[in-house]
Amino acid sequence: MVAARSSAEETAAPDDLSVPAAPSGGRPARSLPALGGALLASWLVPAALISTGLGIVLLPLLVLAVGSVMRVGGVLLDRLVAAALVVAGGVVVLGLLFSVWPWGIDPIPTSGVLFSVVVLAGWAGRRAPRLPLRFRPSDLMVLGTGAVLWHYLHLPLVGKGPEWRMEFLATAEDRLNHFSYFVGIEHVGGYNFLHQEAARAYLMGPGEVTYPQGSHFLLAWIDSLLRSSTDLGTPVGAMNRYLLLILAAYALLGTALVWGARWIGGPRLRGWRTAAVCGTVASLVLASNYADLVPHGFDSTVIGLLMVALLTAFLIRPAMRTPELLLVAALGLIIVTYVYNLFGAIAGVVLVAALVVHRRRFRLKRWPLYLVLAVVTLGVAGLPSVISVLSQLDVAGASNLGGPSVAADRVLLIGGLLLGVLAAAAPANRRTGTGRAQLAVLLGAGAVIWAFAWYQVHSIGHVSYYFEKLAGTGVVIALVSLGAVGPLLRAGTPARTPVLRRRAGDAVLSVVSVVTALSLFAGVQWGMESFKSGPSAWDGNRLMAWSRGESWSDIGPRHGATVAEDLADIPGAVMVLYSNDAYKNLKSTWLASLLRNRGGDILPLYETHWVNIGAFEQNEAEYQASMEHVRKGARQLGEPMTVVVADPATGARMGKDLEGFQPRISVVVKPGNAWGHPWERSFPGT
C-alpha cells in the first residue's frame, strides 16, 4: 500500500537529531499467510520477468521494495536514494553467498533472495509497505544534473556501431583491467578472490586477489539483469554494456553530489536558497576535471566516490530511525571498502565522527547488540583487504606507486573543505547535530588526507597517484557540505506577502541563482563569444571534450579499435603490434585478449609494454630490444602464439628471425584496416 503523505515517523526530521525518534503507534500485526504470499511473490515475479527478457525491471522494483519498508526523510527521492544505497550494499554483501553457492550470480535466485530478505525484514519489523508521494521542486535540479551529464557522456556514442564504440572503452589500460575483473566475475559466478584459480584465465594476476572487486561485482549483477541471463554474449556486446554502465555511474555521481548537498541543507534549505546550492554544486560538477576519470578508465574510483558521497550525506544528517541509520552505516562502510579499499579510511572516519556526535540516538542498554553489529560489519568490510594483504599485496610499496592520475582540484579540495568548516561552525549550524557532525567529519577527513600527503612526501618526496585518489574523497565531501551554506542565506520575503506573489518571486530568484551559478562556476556564457572568438570555458571543459569525441582511444586508427575485425580468424594468443609506441601496442594486445575471453594471457604478454615495433621499420637497437621482449613474452606464455604487425617489412623480418623459436611464434601482417592496404601476408615461424 502506498501512502500519499508520510506518517509522523517519515516526515523530514529536525536538524538536531541527537535524540532517538519516538516509536510510532499502530504497528501492523505479523501475519504468517501474508508472509508466505510475499515470499512466494519474491520468487515468482523475478522468474516471470527474467523469462520474458525484462530482468532489468527488477532493479527499480527492488529499490521501491526496500524504500517502502524504510523510514528515511520525508520525500520520495530521498527515500529512493537511501534504498538504492542499501540495495547496492546488500548485493555486495550477499555476493559472498552468491560466490559460493551453485547458482553463481544467476538473476533468478539472486533476485529471489534479495526480495525475500526485504520481505522478512519488513515482516520482522512490522513495517507496512509505504512510500511518501511527496516531491520538492528541486528534485528536478537533482535529476536534471544526472540527465545533463548522461547527455554529454553518451553523445559521442550516438549512431556508432559496437566496434566503433570500443574506441571509447579502450581509452586507458585501467579500463581494460577493470573490464577483465567484470568479465571474470561473470564467468566464475562470483568474486574473483573466492575463485582465484578459475579467475586467472580472464584477468591479469595477481589482480584476482589483490584488487577490490565490489564495483565489478555490482556491475556484473546488474548486467545479468540487463540480459536476463548469465550468458555474457559476444565480447564486443559485453564491452558496450560495460561502457554504458560506467557512463551511467558517472552521471549518478554528479546526481548524488547535488542531492547530498540538498540533503545536508535539511528542512531549513528552502526556496531560491535550494536552487542556489543545487545550482552551484551542479555547475562545479559539470565543469570539473573529474570528467577525466572516464577516459582515464578509473571506473572503481567513480563508483567509490559515489558511495562516499551518499554515505557522508546520510551520516552527517541521519534523518531516519535508528535501525535505518545502523543499516545505512554498516552497508555504506562495507560497499565503500569493497569498491575501493583506500576510501575505507575516509568512510571509517566519517562513520566514527558522525556516530560520536549523534551518540544520544543509541540506547545504552543495547550496547551488546551494537558491539556485535560493529564486529560483524568490520569483519565483512575488511575481508577482501585482509585476503589481499595476506597474498601478494605490498601495502607500503603500493601506497607510493606512481602513474597517470586525475588531480584533485586544489581549489575545491582546500577551499571547499574550509567553506564547509566555516558553514558548520556558524552559530545557526553549530547548535544542531547536523552542524556538529559536519564539522567533525570535515576535520577528520581533512586530517586523514593531510596525513597521507605527509607520509608520501616524507617517503618519496612528493604526493603521487594514490594521494590524488584519496583527495578525491575530500572534494566529494566538500561539495556535499556546501548544503550547510544555504540555510545561512536570508530568505528575505516578509511572511505577510501574498502566497502567489511570494512563490512567483521565489521562482524568479531560483532561475537567477541557477543562471548565476552556471556562469560563475561552469563558464557558461549564454551565447557570448570568448576573448578573440576563442572557445568559452564551458566549451573547453573535460566533459565537453569527451562529448565531442576527443577522448577516443589512441591504440589504432580512427574507426577501429580494429582488433575485433582484424583478428577474427586467428586462433590462440596474440600479440598485436600496430604501432611503434609500446603502450599503444600493450593496449591493443590487451583488447585482443579480452575479445577472445583470454584475459589471463596478458600477464605474460605484458612484455608488450616494451615492444616499440610493428607499424614501420625501426632502428636496429630498438628492433633487437623489442624482439627480446617478444621472445620473453612467448616463453612465459608457454604455448604457440601469433604476432600481428602493420608493416610488411617488419613482419617479414620478424618471421625470419623467429624461425625455429619455441614455443612457435607466427607473424601475420594485417595492414588492411590499420593502414588502408587491401592485402595481407603471413610469415609463420617453424
Side-chain angles (χ1 to χ4, degrees), residues 287-310:
S288 172
N289 68 318
Y290 270 16
D292 267 342
L293 292 172
V294 176
H296 274 70
F298 295 160
D299 302 345
S300 290
T301 301
V302 170
I303 299 176
L305 293 177
L306 167 61
M307 300 305 168
V308 169
L310 296 178

Side-chain angles (χ1 to χ4, degrees), residues 257-287:
L257 292 171
V258 178
W259 172 86
R262 190 188 75 170
W263 173 265
I264 287 177
R268 295 180 299 152
L269 185 62
R270 293 293 178 186
W272 69 269
R273 297 176 298 170
T274 309
V277 168
C278 292
T280 296
V281 176
S283 299
L284 292 170
V285 169
L286 293 172

Side-chain angles (χ1 to χ4, degrees), residues 358-676:
H358 297 299
R359 61 190 179 278
R360 291 175 59 195
R361 295 282 305 269
F362 308 102
R363 300 176 183 177
L364 289 177
K365 65 180 181 180
R366 293 184 177 176
W367 70 265
L369 175 63
Y370 300 147
L371 181 60
V372 170
L373 178 62
V375 170
V376 172
T377 298
L378 292 175
V380 174
L383 178 63
S385 297
V386 170
I387 292 176
S388 65
V389 169
L390 294 177
S391 59
Q392 304 182 46
L393 181 64
D394 176 8
V395 178
S399 63
N400 288 325
L401 286 176
S405 58
V406 178
D409 189 316
R410 299 310 195 253
V411 173
L412 285 179
L413 176 64
I414 301 172
L417 290 176
L418 290 175
L419 181 58
V421 168
L422 182 62
N429 285 329
R430 70 169 179 259
R431 293 190 293 267
T432 68
T434 297
R436 293 193 296 270
Q438 176 166 318
L439 185 61
V441 166
L442 289 169
L443 294 177
V448 171
I449 294 169
W450 179 87
F452 191 64
W454 180 91
Y455 167 76
Q456 286 201 328
V457 169
H458 283 73
S459 299
I460 58 178
H462 57 86
V463 295
S464 64
Y465 181 82
Y466 281 113
F467 170 78
E468 301 298 345
K469 295 277 192 174
L470 189 67
T473 62
V475 173
V476 164
I477 293 172
L479 287 173
V480 298
S481 296
L482 291 180
V485 177
L488 302 179
L489 304 174
R490 288 184 177 273
T493 304
R496 62 179 179 272
T497 304
V499 174
L500 185 60
R501 180 179 172 185
R502 185 167 64 246
R503 290 181 176 177
D506 195 70
V508 171
L509 288 176
S510 296
V511 172
V512 173
S513 297
V514 174
V515 170
T516 302
L518 289 170
S519 301
L520 285 175
F521 305 116
V524 178
Q525 295 179 285
W526 311 106
M528 297 181 66
E529 292 185 344
S530 296
F531 180 65
K532 294 184 178 179
S533 299
S536 67
W538 169 254
D539 290 329
N541 71 39
R542 301 312 305 154
L543 178 63
M544 292 302 294
W546 169 272
S547 72
R548 291 191 295 268
E550 295 177 7
S551 299
W552 60 285
S553 175
D554 58 359
I555 66 175
R558 221 48 228 251
H559 309 301
T562 59
V563 178
E565 184 176 345
D566 279 358
L567 310 184
D569 58 342
I570 300 177
V574 293
M575 179 182 287
V576 182
L577 309 178
Y578 280 163
S579 171
N580 283 354
D581 183 310
Y583 187 58
K584 295 179 183 179
N585 286 337
L586 173 66
K587 288 192 290 183
S588 297
T589 300
W590 205 327
L591 181 62
S593 298
L594 295 174
L595 287 167
R596 296 155 174 270
N597 288 319
R598 296 177 57 111
D601 289 348
I602 200 61
L603 181 59
L605 295 185
Y606 204 85
E607 291 297 318
T608 314
H609 195 272
W610 296 275
V611 178
N612 294 288
I613 57 175
F616 50 84
E617 290 190 66
Q618 184 58 282
N619 67 67
E620 186 63 22
E622 192 65 69
Y623 174 83
Q624 295 298 340
S626 295
M627 286 295 289
E628 282 304 309
H629 287 288
V630 172
R631 296 185 182 96
K632 184 178 179 181
R635 283 192 293 266
Q636 293 177 351
L637 184 66
E639 62 180 86
M641 76 171 188
T642 301
V643 173
V644 183
V645 299
D647 175 48
T650 301
R653 184 178 181 186
M654 289 181 68
K656 181 178 180 181
D657 291 347
L658 292 171
E659 287 184 3
F661 182 83
Q662 294 296 325
R664 183 174 181 267
I665 302 176
S666 300
V667 181
V668 176
V669 179
K670 287 274 189 175
N673 287 324
W675 298 102

Side-chain angles (χ1 to χ4, degrees), residues 225-267:
L225 296 182
L226 279 169
R227 294 173 287 102
S228 296
S229 169
T230 55
D231 180 10
L232 263 171
T234 66
V236 172
M239 288 179 177
N240 275 267
R241 294 193 306 274
Y242 178 80
L243 178 59
L244 292 175
L245 289 171
I246 292 302
L247 298 183
Y250 189 84
L252 288 175
L253 171 59
T255 305
L257 292 171
V258 178
W259 172 86
R262 190 188 75 170
W263 173 265
I264 287 177

Side-chain angles (χ1 to χ4, degrees), residues 4-6 11-12 74-77 132-136 139 270:
R5 294 182 60 87
S6 60
T11 54
V75 297
L76 181 60
L77 181 60
L133 294 185
R134 295 177 59 193
F135 308 93
R136 295 180 62 179
D139 289 351
R270 293 293 178 186

